[in-house]
């Protein structure tokens, strides 16, 4: 073979290789809602498997890919709560609420994180705001029950715990 024929064989093979990798490279670096949604799905799977740290990493990637996605911040907040990282949870829930002020799950999560931090007044404000958006979620009633228990108002705590159990049985989580 001469150099000319080698060059011709090499160029098409290289071009084919580059064209083959181009879509993979483009999707690997892709940002935006599609990338964020894929990372959220991965995080949900990892979280269900108990791999919280990896799920948090995926959600951090999701908010980097689409910083306008309140659902990603909301999920991230709940994972921080599971890890006992109340400050990080507060930041994540506040980010979600900056994007969507009426996101009940983020208000509930923020209330729970503030409760964990011991800020009972702010926690009550967020939890009651969440109930004003939707009076049924059992998690919110549970959070208010915990709050009233910390305030030694056991009658109100029992009412909220019972309401949480009732709504949970009704499938309103």
């Amino acid at each position: 073979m001469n150099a000319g024929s080698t060059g011709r064989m090499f160029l098409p093979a290289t071009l084919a290789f580059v064209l083959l990798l181009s879509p993979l490279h483009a999707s690997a670096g892709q940002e935006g809602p599609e990338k964020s949604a894929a990372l959220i799905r991965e995080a949900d799977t990892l979280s269900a498997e108990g791999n919280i740290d990896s799920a948090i990493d995926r959600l951090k990637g999701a908010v980097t890919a689409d910083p306008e996605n309140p659902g990603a911040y909301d999920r991230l907040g709940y994972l921080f709560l599971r890890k006992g990282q109340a400050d990080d949870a507060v930041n994540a829930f506040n980010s979600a609420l900056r994007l969507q002020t009426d996101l009940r799950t983020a208000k509930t999560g923020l209330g729970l994180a503030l409760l964990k931090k011991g800020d009972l007044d702010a926690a009550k404000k967020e939890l009651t705001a969440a109930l004003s958006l939707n009076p049924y979620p059992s998690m919110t009633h549970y959070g208010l029950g915990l709050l009233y228990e910390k305030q030694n108002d056991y009658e109100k705590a029992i009412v909220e715990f019972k309401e949480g159990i009732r709504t949970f049985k009704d499938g309103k989580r």
Side-chain angles (χ1 to χ4, degrees):
M1 290 187 133
N2 63 32
S5 64
T6 303
R8 276 180 265 153
M9 288 176 47
F10 177 74
L11 182 60
T14 303
L15 184 59
F17 182 71
V18 168
L19 292 174
L20 179 66
L21 288 183
S22 292
L24 296 175
H25 177 68
S27 65
Q30 175 186 3
E31 297 298 313
E34 291 173 14
K35 175 76 171 181
S36 183
L39 289 167
I40 290 170
R41 285 190 299 275
E42 288 179 31
D44 288 346
T45 300
L46 290 164
S47 175
E49 293 169 351
N51 193 343
I52 304 305
D53 290 329
S54 293
I56 287 172
D57 288 342
R58 294 307 186 289
L59 288 172
K60 286 179 179 179
V63 299
T64 298
D66 183 10
E68 301 297 314
N69 184 339
Y73 289 106
D74 187 45
R75 282 177 165 86
L76 187 58
Y78 277 101
L79 290 180
F80 283 136
L81 270 179
R82 282 178 66 181
K83 287 200 58 146
Q85 296 174 258
D87 288 332
D88 291 330
V90 166
N91 290 334
F93 290 126
N94 278 329
S95 293
L97 290 167
R98 272 192 291 280
L99 296 168
Q100 185 178 342
T101 58
D102 64 346
L103 186 58
R104 180 204 38 92
T105 55
K107 285 193 174 290
T108 296
L110 180 57
L112 294 171
L114 291 166
L115 181 63
K116 189 168 201 61
K117 289 178 57 125
D119 190 347
L120 302 185
D121 291 336
K124 184 176 183 179
K125 177 184 173 237
E126 294 301 329
L127 291 168
T128 55
L131 283 180
S132 72
L133 294 170
N134 179 349
Y136 301 111
S138 57
M139 179 69 76
T140 309
H141 287 289
Y142 174 73
L144 278 171
L146 291 175
L147 182 135
Y148 290 130
E149 183 181 29
K150 284 184 180 277
Q151 293 178 329
N152 297 321
D153 191 342
Y154 300 111
E155 287 181 31
K156 285 184 180 178
I158 289 169
V159 168
E160 291 298 336
F161 287 138
K162 283 183 177 180
E163 186 63 13
I165 291 168
R166 185 189 70 74
T167 57
F168 184 84
K169 284 182 179 179
D170 291 344
K172 298 178 172 124
R173 299 186 173 95

